[in-house]
Amino acid sequence: MNAKWLILFFWLCGQQSWCQGLVSDITFSGNVKTDETYLTQFLKTSLGQSLDSTLLREDMQRLSNLESLASANFLVLERSDGHFDIEILCEEVFTILPIFNFGGVEDNFWFQVGVTENNLAGQGHKAFAYYQLYDRSSAALALTLRRYRGSRWSYLVNFVKWSTLEPLFFSEGVAEYNYDNYTYGLGITYHFDFHSELEGGLSYFTEAYEKQTEGIPTAPDRANTNKLLVKLIHRNQHINYHFFYEQGYSNVLTTEAVYSLNGDPDFYIFFNDFKYIHRLGNRGNIGARLRVGLSTNEESPFAPFVLDSYLNIRGIGNRVDRGTGTVVLNSEYRHAILDRPQVAMQGVLFSDTGTWRNPGGDLSDFSQSENFVLFGGAGLRFIHKKIYNAILRVDYGFDLQDPGKNGFVIGIGQYF
C-alpha cells in the first residue's frame, strides 16, 4: 500500500468504525521489557475479526493507561490478500526505580528511601521495599502479582512496620505517643473487566502506644492491642492518561472491619473517594476529589480520620485533629507551563475544604462552623515524562478564613 492509499485507508476508518478486511497478525515493537502476552490481555482486537478502528483506538488508550507504558500507537499494513497486519508501537517508561519520596510541612519533614518495581518480570507485577522516617523509623515490603498467569485474579502479600509520634486529643490537651504498628497482610483481587475490580484482604496486626507527654492525667501511659482487619475495596477506574494529562473519573469504595483479640470493642469504617478530572485544551486539567467517610462513633482519642496537610487540607499542618466522620472536597486546576519530550512543569491553583464529626459526636457536627475548614493556594509540579510517577509537587496553602494559618506541602506524585 503506497502513502496515498494508506492515508485514504486511515481517513475511511476515521469516518466509520470498521473496515472490511480481517486482522491477520498483531505484533508489538518498543516493548523491550514488557511481555507481549501481558499486553495482549488488554486488547479487544483479535485475529480473524474485521478491522475496527474505533476498537483499536480504545485498545491503544488502554495500553497507554498501563504503568509500564507512556503511550501506545498502531500502524496498519495491508496484505496482498486484502487482510491487515497490525503493529503496535509501545513507548515504555522506567519502572524499576529507587524510592526517594519526601514531604514537608512546618516543623515536620518525612522521607522514604527504597526500591520499587511496577513491571516485575514484564508482567505488570509490583514489588517494593522502603525505609521511612516520619518522626520515627518505619519499613515496608510488598509483592503484588497482577492478573496472575493471564487470569482475572491478582494476589498481594505485605509486611509493614509503622512507627510514628502520634498526637492524641484529650479534654486537658494534646498528648503525644510513640505509636508502633506491625501488620502482616494478604489480599486477593478479582478484575471484572478493564475498569472494575474487587479486592478482599485480611491482616493481622499489633498496636502499641506509649505516652511521651506529661501533665495530662486522663491520657493512659500505654496501650497494647492485637487485632484482625478484614477489608473489601471496590475500584471503578475510567481515567485515561496521556503522559501526565488525565481525563475521566474513578471511584474507590473501602469498607473495613477491625476485630480485637483482646476483648476491646470491634470497629468498623467505610470511606468513598470519587475523582473527576477533565482535559481543558492542550495543556490544562481541572479536577476534583470528594471523600466521604464514617466510622464507629466512639468518644475516643484514637479516631481514624485525621486532619492533615499530607492527606486532605494543604497548609493546615501535621495531624492537627481527628474525627469519626469526614467530608472533604479537593479541587485544582493544573496548567502545563512547560511540555517537552522528556520533562514538563505545571502550575496549580487549588482549594481544599472539609468538615468533620467529632469522636462521639452527632451528624450535625458536619454543619458546625468550628468543624469547617477552607484553604486555598498555588503550587508547581516538576515532571519527568519517561519515569513512572516522577512528579515533584510543591504547594503553598493558607486558610481563606484566617490567612495567618498557612504552610508549604512538598511531596511526590499529584496530590490526588
Side-chain angles (χ1 to χ4, degrees):
M1 179 182 288
N2 62 33
K4 179 178 69 174
W5 290 109
L6 187 62
I7 292 171
L8 178 61
F9 167 80
F10 281 116
W11 182 85
L12 288 172
C13 287
Q15 304 308 305
Q16 55 188 24
S17 64
W18 56 273
C19 296
Q20 293 297 324
L22 301 180
V23 176
S24 293
D25 191 28
I26 299 174
T27 59
F28 293 84
S29 63
N31 55 315
V32 177
K33 180 176 180 180
T34 310
D35 196 291
E36 289 187 9
T37 59
Y38 173 68
L39 296 174
T40 302
Q41 297 178 56
F42 299 93
L43 300 180
K44 289 187 177 180
T45 300
S46 60
L47 300 180
Q49 71 178 45
S50 296
L51 183 64
D52 186 327
S53 62
T54 299
L55 186 62
L56 194 51
R57 286 192 293 269
E58 292 175 356
D59 287 342
M60 295 308 100
Q61 183 60 69
R62 203 173 298 114
L63 292 176
S64 297
N65 292 344
L66 298 177
E67 295 174 352
S68 57
L69 299 184
S71 66
N73 290 291
F74 65 92
L75 291 176
V76 177
L77 302 176
E78 186 179 15
R79 295 159 56 111
S80 59
D81 58 7
H83 298 320
F84 298 99
D85 294 340
I86 299 172
E87 181 182 3
I88 297 175
L89 312 175
C90 301
E91 185 176 357
E92 289 186 327
V93 296
F94 296 108
T95 58
I96 181 167
L97 300 165
I99 294 175
F100 183 62
N101 291 347
F102 63 92
V105 298
E106 187 176 356
D107 298 325
N108 183 268
F109 178 82
W110 67 271
F111 71 88
Q112 291 177 344
V113 291
V115 64
T116 180
E117 165 62 293
N118 291 290
N119 191 21
L120 188 66
Q123 293 288 327
H125 304 321
K126 300 181 180 182
F128 69 79
Y130 69 75
Y131 166 82
Q132 175 176 289
L133 182 63
Y134 185 8
D135 300 319
R136 302 173 62 226
S137 295
S138 302
L141 297 167
L143 173 64
T144 302
L145 301 178
R146 296 278 296 174
R147 294 179 175 267
Y148 184 64
R149 292 188 174 180
S151 72
R152 291 177 177 258
W153 296 95
S154 296
Y155 304 95
L156 164 71
V157 58
N158 69 347
F159 165 74
V160 179
K161 172 192 179 291
W162 187 266
S163 298
T164 58
L165 186 63
E166 289 287 337
L168 301 181
F169 301 88
F170 299 87
S171 57
E172 298 92 345
V174 179
E176 291 193 330
Y177 283 78
N178 280 343
Y179 172 69
D180 293 291
N181 180 312
Y182 291 84
T183 297
Y184 308 84
L186 297 171
I188 185 170
T189 299
Y190 181 76
H191 304 271
F192 295 101
D193 51 34
F194 297 119
H195 304 287
S196 180
E197 64 186 38
L198 184 66
E199 176 185 343
L202 177 66
S203 299
Y204 168 78
F205 65 96
T206 64
E207 292 182 303
Y209 292 85
E210 185 174 350
K211 187 169 70 173
Q212 304 298 303
T213 304
E214 301 298 330
I216 302 179
T218 58
D221 291 333
R222 58 181 54 85
N224 294 277
T225 60
N226 300 293
K227 297 178 179 179
L228 285 177
L229 181 147
V230 180
K231 68 179 179 181
L232 200 62
I233 304 173
H234 181 262
R235 300 182 184 91
N236 196 15
Q237 169 69 269
H238 290 266
I239 295 180
N240 290 326
Y241 294 87
H242 180 68
F243 293 99
F244 57 92
Y245 298 109
E246 301 175 51
Q247 172 75 38
Y249 70 91
S250 67
N251 195 80
V252 180
L253 173 62
T254 301
T255 58
E256 296 179 351
V258 180
Y259 302 102
S260 173
L261 303 179
N262 301 87
D264 296 328
D266 297 332
F267 185 82
Y268 304 93
I269 183 173
F270 101 92
F271 52 91
N272 190 86
D273 285 326
F274 176 78
K275 173 182 174 180
Y276 175 79
I277 192 158
H278 182 71
R279 184 85 177 263
L280 287 179
N282 292 326
R283 294 202 169 202
N285 259 147
I286 186 168
R289 177 185 66 179
L290 175 65
R291 167 169 282 199
V292 178
L294 286 173
S295 71
T296 301
N297 190 27
E298 293 184 356
E299 190 170 350
S300 166
F302 306 104
F305 297 112
V306 180
L307 188 59
D308 186 290
S309 277
Y310 299 130
L311 302 176
N312 38 50
I313 307 293
R314 281 165 281 192
I316 200 167
N318 178 39
R319 290 169 288 179
V320 299
D321 206 352
R322 292 177 180 269
T324 56
T326 181
V327 179
V328 175
L329 177 65
N330 307 107
S331 58
E332 62 185 33
Y333 173 69
R334 310 169 190 163
H335 188 84
I337 303 168
L338 176 72
D339 189 355
R340 296 288 184 263
Q342 296 287 335
V343 297
M345 182 170 68
Q346 288 178 311
V348 176
L349 297 175
F350 67 85
S351 68
D352 298 332
T353 183
T355 182
W356 273 259
R357 180 176 69 178
N358 298 320
D362 300 319
L363 292 177
S364 60
D365 288 355
F366 288 120
S367 61
Q368 301 300 314
S369 59
E370 60 268 24
N371 294 327
F372 179 82
V373 294
L374 175 60
F375 277 63
L380 291 172
R381 306 288 183 267
F382 303 93
I383 303 165
H384 196 297
K385 295 168 66 175
K386 304 298 184 181
I387 301 175
Y388 172 69
N389 201 36
I391 301 174
L392 170 65
R393 57 179 160 84
V394 180
D395 290 324
Y396 175 77
F398 62 92
D399 191 336
L400 295 175
Q401 303 168 100
D402 180 7
K405 297 179 181 178
N406 55 69
F408 282 96
V409 186
I410 303 170
I412 299 295
Q414 296 286 6
Y415 196 71
F416 65 85

